[in-house]
Amino acid sequence: MATSARPQPPDLRFDPRPEPTIRDVARQAGVSTATVSRVISGSVAARPQTRARVLAVAEALGYRPSAVARSLKLRTTRTLGLLVTDIQNPYYPEIVRAVEDAALERNLAVLLCNGADDPAREETYLELLVDRRVDGIIIASSGLQERHGAWLARRSVPVVLVNWAAPDLPLPAILGDNRAGGRLATEHLLSLGHRRIGHLSAPARNAAAAERLGGIGDALAGGGLDPGSLVVVEGDGQVAGGERAALELLERMPEITGIVCYNDLTAIGAVRALRARGRQVPADVSIVGYDDIALSAWVDPPLTTIAQRTSEMGRWAVRRLGELIGRADGAASGDGSRMEATGDGVSGSLGPPPVILPVELRVRASTAAPRESP
Amino acid sequence: MATSARPQPPDLRFDPRPEPTIRDVARQAGVSTATVSRVISGSVAARPQTRARVLAVAEALGYRPSAVARSLKLRTTRTLGLLVTDIQNPYYPEIVRAVEDAALERNLAVLLCNGADDPAREETYLELLVDRRVDGIIIASSGLQERHGAWLARRSVPVVLVNWAAPDLPLPAILGDNRAGGRLATEHLLSLGHRRIGHLSAPARNAAAAERLGGIGDALAGGGLDPGSLVVVEGDGQVAGGERAALELLERMPEITGIVCYNDLTAIGAVRALRARGRQVPADVSIVGYDDIALSAWVDPPLTTIAQRTSEMGRWAVRRLGELIGRADGAASGDGSRMEATGDGVSGSLGPPPVILPVELRVRASTAAPRESP
DNA sequence: CTGAAAGCGCTAACAA
DNA sequence: TTGTTAGCGCTTTCAG
């Protein structure tokens, strides 16, 4: 048996060999702890001899300064909290990766918090992060304002938003140009000759969904179609919801030839639904996704989609948090990213407008001209 | 412009309103900090009146004890490190989720470390975790022993392994029964009538790959076929590698009707390759994946695959780490999970053998009887 | 039941 | 260049 019934038999415990402290090093090197501290941090020059001795002892002992003690003293933990909606949604690992890369560059650690679509859990995490005195929090969980607006308003830690913006709070935010994305997707279908277009959206509380819908309307109007006639069915941003919604869309609009989806997962669900109803993609119906998650290139057919600059978002968020914290510790310097900010600049008391990143149409194989072009 | 050129204009900084400390509470409540500490932690009973007063003040001030100070004093950070191979590989978010859930239950935080397939980065993280004095480390990154065996051997923190086992180190580990998985996948193909079977594996340094291959051999032998005749092509555990490898497999074995893949990603690549060569799945060739990631149900065709008990692994890892740490703080109690341990028990000096979790064949639509059943 | 005091491991004045 | 000292915010003896 690997799992014994006895609670913690002795051999289960890890040998608690304690880490050497700065005093151990100081003692063995015959200097004061202050000197060790200086040598290790390199903040103040020490006599080469002393320096060498301290370093040697530290090395021999395997001394590693305690970040805990240092945090207490320095009042900074060099740790970021990252709260995401749902780590199992393939979009979020991309953000996580981007944030983590940027953080590691500045040797910040990231406490990952997976909201798992549960407001109570989100709150637990928000408090946990404050308790742990993280230097800043990155929230990639749209709609958090509705659920925790009060907390956000009285927060005691810098917060930046990724992939959404809080409508009523002066929080720095970065997100893709959702309106343009919706428009691009739709224009693509129009240019292929589609005229009977539907939309699979996300729950209305999702601001991005509304924006994208707006963009779709823009494109329709631009193409001389009536935006009011667009049939919209609400999905849930997941495959299952996309499938369900697509089925309904087919009932309500059997003659449909093009579908713009809220995201790639929804699009994948739509493809499944269409197949289940005997329609080919793209031969019978074209489908456009959104986000360009890795997955979208792997499915059959590979999805035409709107690409977001996810890694740029992560990078920006970490950098921005660095500015807010004020500790000018930069492995900073230009990473070559140029970001175009839109917004009227008349931001009232709401602080600078969110940074809006351009999006891009990525044409793959889920779209084609409709069977009978008019 | 959202991003100003001036470095950190004043309005960019976050108002550093400091958190109230235990002394603030003590002062306002007219008691000593010791009393506040006792009331907050509930460790020692206080006079109801005092208690109420302290709680009221704490509430009013929005006092949240500093986990940093507490960590220093208590010599425990209530934080776990989780090192994964690649967060962008959809298998890992499932582990992350499981670990995180289990950790949150015991209110432990998780420092996420994404190795990103980079040994140097892994090492950086290992040291970072030690510096931060995490209470334990979960490593879900197979093959780490080859890269960081020395570090693992002299580690000063409890470590448990998830989804792999270190051959030469006495580290607690939990993983799926890879040999059985390989066997199950193959037996499934055999039972459908397949006789010309190939295998798309992962790099040989991957111990799981070897085990699975062994299982395939077992099944072949059991079915009266010569295991030596199995054609194996090495992929990379990703879609791209699977695609490449499948193409090669087709060249070397054009008459193939069944393919066992190292994992689902490889299987997805194989499906793509087959299609590219004009072969239908499963009509012409059947494909079996491994892992049962969410994705495998969404692709076309939905993958027949081997399911691992990922969330059980995560849960176990956290629990086991709790035992190793010895701090008997349990939101513990039975979570109903029963795990069957195999292994001969003759573990020599290598500690208890790894916990081996059973795996399960999940039949979907990527497998069928071969066209011409013999 | 409560307070005084020491100390977790580190850094930063301030002196020397 | 180096040592002494105080203190970050908390918990925990030890007295009272």
Side-chain angles (χ1 to χ4, degrees):
Chain A
M1 277 297 282
T3 50
S4 162
R6 276 189 308 150
Q8 306 163 3
D11 68 314
L12 268 183
R13 302 286 253 288
F14 181 76
D15 167 25
R17 171 162 56 91
E19 295 282 335
T21 75
I22 198 172
R23 291 190 43 179
D24 299 324
V25 178
R27 196 158 22 216
Q28 281 212 34
V31 297
S32 73
T33 60
T35 297
V36 176
S37 175
R38 290 180 196 118
V39 168
I40 299 286
S41 74
S43 58
V44 178
R47 194 153 45 108
Q49 232 179 70
T50 323
R51 196 182 118 80
R53 197 148 27 93
V54 168
L55 254 21
V57 173
E59 169 76 20
L61 259 39
Y63 171 66
R64 308 248 56 190
S66 161
V68 175
R70 188 179 285 187
S71 291
L72 182 59
K73 178 69 192 178
L74 265 22
R75 326 176 62 85
T76 167
T77 51
R78 299 206 66 82
T79 303
L80 265 30
L82 172 58
L83 180 57
V84 301
T85 305
D86 175 13
I87 188 69
Q88 300 198 82
N89 179 325
Y91 179 66
Y92 290 97
E94 314 210 355
I95 290 189
V96 171
R97 170 69 196 267
V99 166
E100 212 223 0
D101 284 356
L104 193 57
E105 269 173 28
R106 300 161 190 238
N107 66 79
L108 297 163
V110 175
L111 279 174
L112 180 68
C113 304
N114 177 31
D117 274 319
D118 173 359
R121 182 164 168 154
E122 285 170 351
E123 170 139 28
T124 301
Y125 266 130
L126 256 11
E127 313 245 85
L128 178 145
L129 292 175
V130 171
D131 289 354
R132 284 162 185 272
R133 303 294 191 266
V134 293
D135 293 338
I137 299 179
I138 295 174
I139 300 182
S141 184
S142 76
L144 203 90
Q145 176 178 330
E146 282 88 68
R147 303 193 286 283
H148 306 290
W151 188 94
L152 284 175
R154 63 160 200 277
R155 75 204 182 284
S156 57
V157 181
V159 167
V160 311
L161 276 20
V162 166
N163 201 36
W164 68 294
D168 309 321
L169 260 15
L171 295 171
I174 188 166
L175 67 170
D177 190 338
N178 285 307
R179 190 154 193 128
R183 187 169 43 70
L184 250 35
T186 311
E187 284 172 352
H188 171 62
L189 290 180
L190 291 172
S191 76
L192 286 170
H194 293 270
R195 289 298 174 270
R196 289 185 289 277
I197 295 174
H199 177 46
L200 263 23
S201 73
R205 52 184 166 76
N206 184 324
E211 284 290 312
R212 290 175 195 176
L213 178 57
I216 295 172
D218 293 348
L220 256 21
L225 298 181
D226 172 19
S229 69
L230 178 75
V231 179
V232 179
V233 180
E234 189 175 300
D236 61 359
Q238 309 270 68
V239 174
E243 202 165 350
R244 258 195 318 274
L247 255 16
E248 185 183 332
L249 184 59
L250 277 178
E251 304 250 305
R252 291 174 51 186
M253 199 182 178
E255 75 286 12
I256 197 168
T257 70
I259 304 179
V260 176
C261 299
Y262 169 71
N263 65 7
D264 291 333
L265 256 23
T266 302
I268 290 170
V271 172
R272 289 168 59 87
L274 286 166
R275 291 225 171 104
R277 288 287 175 273
R279 312 244 193 148
Q280 301 293 321
V281 178
D284 299 318
V285 181
S286 286
I287 291 190
V288 187
Y290 205 110
D291 284 345
D292 192 26
I293 57 180
L295 177 46
S296 64
W298 300 339
V299 294
D300 181 63
L303 258 30
T304 292
T305 186
I306 303 291
Q308 303 224 55
R309 302 197 183 169
T310 308
S311 76
E312 203 164 320
M313 293 188 197
R315 215 159 281 285
W316 181 90
V318 173
R319 192 178 342 126
R320 193 72 174 73
L321 228 30
E323 292 169 4
L324 287 170
I325 294 163
R327 219 193 314 87
D329 54 15
S333 80
D335 55 1
S337 78
R338 282 283 155 275
M339 36 197 62
E340 300 140 53
T342 67
D344 59 7
V346 188
S347 46
S349 61
L350 283 182
V355 175
I356 307 288
L357 255 24
V359 295
E360 200 178 320
L361 174 72
R362 201 88 86 205
V363 179
R364 297 210 180 86
S366 65
T367 51
R371 241 187 234 299
E372 62 296 79
S373 252
Chain B
M1 278 294 282
T3 51
S4 162
R6 276 188 308 148
Q8 307 165 1
D11 68 314
L12 266 184
R13 302 286 253 286
F14 179 76
D15 166 24
R17 169 163 57 90
E19 295 282 335
T21 74
I22 198 171
R23 291 191 43 179
D24 299 322
V25 178
R27 195 158 24 219
Q28 281 214 35
V31 297
S32 72
T33 59
T35 298
V36 176
S37 174
R38 291 182 193 117
V39 168
I40 299 285
S41 74
S43 58
V44 177
R47 195 153 45 108
Q49 232 179 72
T50 324
R51 196 182 118 82
R53 196 146 29 93
V54 169
L55 254 20
V57 173
E59 169 76 20
L61 259 39
Y63 171 65
R64 307 247 57 186
S66 159
V68 175
R70 189 179 284 190
S71 291
L72 182 58
K73 179 69 193 181
L74 265 23
R75 324 175 64 85
T76 168
T77 50
R78 298 207 66 81
T79 303
L80 265 29
L82 172 58
L83 180 58
V84 300
T85 305
D86 175 13
I87 188 68
Q88 300 200 82
N89 178 325
Y91 179 66
Y92 290 96
E94 315 211 355
I95 289 188
V96 171
R97 170 71 197 266
V99 166
E100 212 223 1
D101 284 356
L104 192 58
E105 271 174 27
R106 300 162 189 235
N107 66 79
L108 297 163
V110 175
L111 279 175
L112 180 68
C113 305
N114 178 31
D117 275 319
D118 172 0
R121 182 162 167 157
E122 285 170 351
E123 170 138 26
T124 302
Y125 267 130
L126 256 10
E127 312 244 87
L128 178 145
L129 292 175
V130 171
D131 289 354
R132 286 162 184 271
R133 303 296 191 264
V134 294
D135 292 338
I137 300 179
I138 295 174
I139 301 181
S141 185
S142 75
L144 203 90
Q145 175 179 330
E146 282 89 68
R147 303 193 287 283
H148 306 289
W151 188 95
L152 285 175
R154 63 160 201 276
R155 77 204 180 282
S156 58
V157 180
V159 167
V160 310
L161 275 21
V162 165
N163 202 35
W164 66 294
D168 309 321
L169 259 17
L171 294 171
I174 189 166
L175 68 169
D177 190 338
N178 285 307
R179 190 152 193 130
R183 188 169 42 71
L184 249 35
T186 311
E187 284 172 351
H188 171 62
L189 290 180
L190 290 173
S191 75
L192 286 170
H194 292 272
R195 290 296 175 272
R196 287 185 291 276
I197 295 174
H199 177 46
L200 263 23
S201 73
R205 51 183 166 78
N206 184 325
E211 284 290 312
R212 291 176 195 176
L213 178 56
I216 295 172
D218 294 347
L220 255 21
L225 297 181
D226 172 21
S229 68
L230 178 75
V231 179
V232 179
V233 180
E234 189 175 299
D236 61 0
Q238 309 269 67
V239 175
E243 202 165 350
R244 257 195 321 271
L247 255 17
E248 186 184 332
L249 185 58
L250 278 178
E251 304 250 305
R252 291 173 50 186
M253 200 180 176
E255 75 288 11
I256 196 166
T257 69
I259 304 180
V260 176
C261 299
Y262 170 70
N263 66 7
D264 291 334
L265 256 24
T266 302
I268 290 170
V271 171
R272 290 169 58 88
L274 286 166
R275 291 224 171 103
R277 287 289 175 273
R279 312 245 193 146
Q280 301 293 321
V281 177
D284 298 318
V285 180
S286 286
I287 291 190
V288 187
Y290 206 110
D291 285 344
D292 193 25
I293 58 181
L295 176 46
S296 63
W298 301 338
V299 294
D300 181 63
L303 257 30
T304 292
T305 186
I306 303 292
Q308 303 224 54
R309 302 195 183 170
T310 308
S311 76
E312 203 164 320
M313 292 188 199
R315 213 158 283 285
W316 180 90
V318 173
R319 191 178 344 127
R320 194 72 176 74
L321 228 30
E323 293 170 2
L324 286 170
I325 295 162
R327 218 192 315 86
D329 52 15
S333 80
D335 57 0
S337 79
R338 282 284 155 276
M339 36 196 61
E340 300 140 53
T342 67
D344 59 7
V346 189
S347 44
S349 61
L350 284 182
V355 175
I356 307 289
L357 256 22
V359 295
E360 200 177 321
L361 175 72
R362 202 87 88 204
V363 179
R364 295 207 183 86
S366 64
T367 51
R371 241 189 236 297
E372 60 300 81
S373 252

